[in-house]
Amino acid sequence: MQWRSIVVGLLVLRVLLNCAVWLVFGLGPSWGFDFPIKFTFNLHKIELLKDGDGATVKTNAWSQHMYDNRNPQANTCSKISGNSPKKSYLSFFQEGRDEYDRKYSSFPDALKVKMRGMARDMFYFGYDNYMKFAFPEDELNPIACEGRGPDVLNPSNININDVLGNYSLTLIDALDTLLILGNVTEFHRAVRLVIDTVSFDKDSTVQVFEANIRILGSLISAHILLTDPRNPFGDIALKDYDNELLHMAHDLAVRLLPAFENTSTGIPYPRVNLKKGVPPDSINETCTAGAGSLLVEFGILSRLIGDSTFEWVARRAVKALWNLRSNETGLLGNVVNIQTGQWVGRQSGLGAGMDSFYEYLLKSYILFGEKEDNRMFSAAYESIQSHLRRGREACNEGEGDPPLYVNVNMFNGQIMNTWIDSLQAFFPGLQATKNPFYLHVGMDILESLEKNAKVRCGYATLHHVVDKSKEDRMESFFLSETCKYLYLLFDEDNPLHKSESKYIFTTEGHIVPVDQRFREKSWEDQFPCEEPINKPPCERIPEERRYSLPLKSIYMRQIDHMVGLS
């Protein structure tokens, strides 16, 4: 009987050795088995089987952990270099595709149709309930099924008051989404409601950035779509429309102009009262994105009405921030003092507080064709790649950790932290991929929102993605961005995708055309003169002198102009 025990022991030992080799060379995970014990090992050992040398490995890591790259083909981000000599270890096992590849390398058409319908239903469930229970207030409380406006009892509640100005925010923000869903009738009704019921003559203190991207951007977008016969949605002209949305956009922009007064750097105050101007107790600190993401909307408005004032103040703020970047790294911080130009927040990254600054450098160049915008974006992109990007050279192959854009000290490029916030997700959008992986991501997002955020009268805000605790609030961007992007992700035949004209999305998701008229300046003779109005027309002011005019003089002439319009 003893020899039998010896034989059994040898057999067990052989099985264990085979399993060990199986795990070390990565076959276990690639064949769909998931073991509770995680093994870490140097993938260079597999290279040695091919190269036959014992060279020392230099890892490209931003952490101490090695990650398993299961699919060398279905990359989820673009490669930095197409001729990298390093290959994924799975390239040595060409006989099969792993579970990850099978799941994410394609997306059936029938599933796209299903997801498109789910995104449409999601929008209408939120929109219809807002119109039923909340309009004309700014937002919907979807749990209590009631409207929400500014917190007048607590002016310091900036989480609410920065956004809500008592101007039917959600309805305005959702205008072009109705068109993208093909609902011209409701779009016309919504436009009429905005024209007939909304006024900006309110004692509301709002954040300049939020009013710009959510309200001003939407009004401009809807006006352009209504008046441009080349729009991708066909004949959507509204009878008796007389540019009211454009006039409203102009009115709002004028009320935002005081934020640019009395600032020694040209960087605007973060908040302004729509009736009274900058509050006397306003702080002197603002974030880079908040001050530097006004150029798209302000620039389009200037070129639509032939008045350089708005583009100039927005462009001056961008230049002021740009000139404050580090001489060593070329990076900017995330919070700055608008009077001293000193960086209060020295963290440099791609997320909250900085995201749309970079986004708008590129989009401003695309829209307006100003070479300076392109130069700034190219230099910023180079600094980002040099100092923020960590990890291996290529996304899904090679040695080291997967690439990650970290948060660093703007002056020396040293890592401050490696967390990522959701706003950083815009950056891959600037790099664009046509990868089916993102359709699966979109489906996961749709199903998760439907499961975890849907309540009685809309979609609530999740405070915590783990315990699923909710806040009774449906922000306007849920309809203007979230539902819109999800719908377009699955609607490949949408007129916006098929249009011969090119469009870009603002940072709030509003669509504006890439139009030659936005590359032409028509305001040379329109810029306000320094002489009193009742004197003969003044001669054209040289550009360098024109841009040095006191902003208050410009602002007062804008007010006079608006009074004339009314």
Side-chain angles (χ1 to χ4, degrees), residues 310-461:
F310 306 100
E311 180 173 343
W312 175 63
V313 294
R315 190 171 292 281
R316 183 179 66 165
V318 171
K319 290 180 180 178
L321 288 165
W322 183 251
N323 290 335
L324 295 175
R325 70 193 188 281
S326 167
N327 292 327
E328 297 296 323
T329 65
L331 298 173
L332 295 84
N334 59 349
V335 180
V336 67
N337 186 299
I338 66 172
Q339 302 297 354
T340 66
Q342 297 296 311
W343 289 105
V344 180
R346 299 184 176 188
Q347 177 173 296
S348 188
L350 294 173
M354 299 200 69
D355 51 344
S356 52
F357 175 80
Y358 299 117
E359 176 189 357
Y360 269 26
L361 288 180
L362 178 60
K363 291 181 177 179
S364 295
Y365 172 65
I366 293 171
L367 281 172
F368 308 128
E370 299 286 348
K371 293 181 180 179
E372 184 178 22
D373 295 334
N374 187 43
R375 285 194 294 267
M376 287 189 289
F377 176 77
S378 298
Y381 190 84
E382 183 177 347
S383 295
I384 289 168
Q385 295 298 325
S386 297
H387 298 286
L388 271 62
R389 192 182 192 278
R390 297 292 196 275
R392 57 176 175 254
E393 186 176 20
C395 283
N396 274 9
E397 60 185 24
E399 302 167 25
D401 291 331
L404 173 72
Y405 290 93
V406 297
N407 298 306
V408 304
N409 184 301
M410 64 171 288
F411 293 110
N412 55 31
Q414 296 298 310
I415 294 180
M416 296 184 71
N417 55 69
T418 56
W419 51 257
I420 298 175
D421 64 62
S422 60
L423 295 183
Q424 186 173 322
F426 88 95
F427 199 62
L430 288 181
Q431 300 170 323
T433 62
K434 296 294 184 181
N435 193 316
F437 170 81
Y438 293 104
L439 293 170
H440 289 273
V441 172
M443 180 173 67
D444 289 346
I445 292 173
L446 258 173
E447 292 176 341
S448 294
L449 287 171
E450 193 70 17
K451 177 181 178 181
N452 300 303
K454 190 174 185 179
V455 292
R456 187 158 61 108
C457 296
Y459 293 86
T461 298

Side-chain angles (χ1 to χ4, degrees), residues 172 175 194 200 214-224 241 244-246 248-250 252 510:
I172 294 177
L175 288 176
V194 170
F200 300 124
R214 300 201 197 198
I215 301 292
L216 186 64
S218 184
L219 293 173
I220 290 173
S221 173
H223 166 76
I224 293 172
Y241 177 70
E244 289 94 340
L245 296 183
L246 181 60
M248 293 179 69
H250 189 188
L252 176 60
H510 300 303

Side-chain angles (χ1 to χ4, degrees), residues 145-164:
C145 300
E146 62 186 17
R148 175 199 293 264
D151 187 351
V152 295
L153 298 179
N154 183 12
S156 64
N157 184 3
I158 59 175
N159 181 49
I160 297 297
N161 294 332
D162 270 0
V163 179
L164 310 188

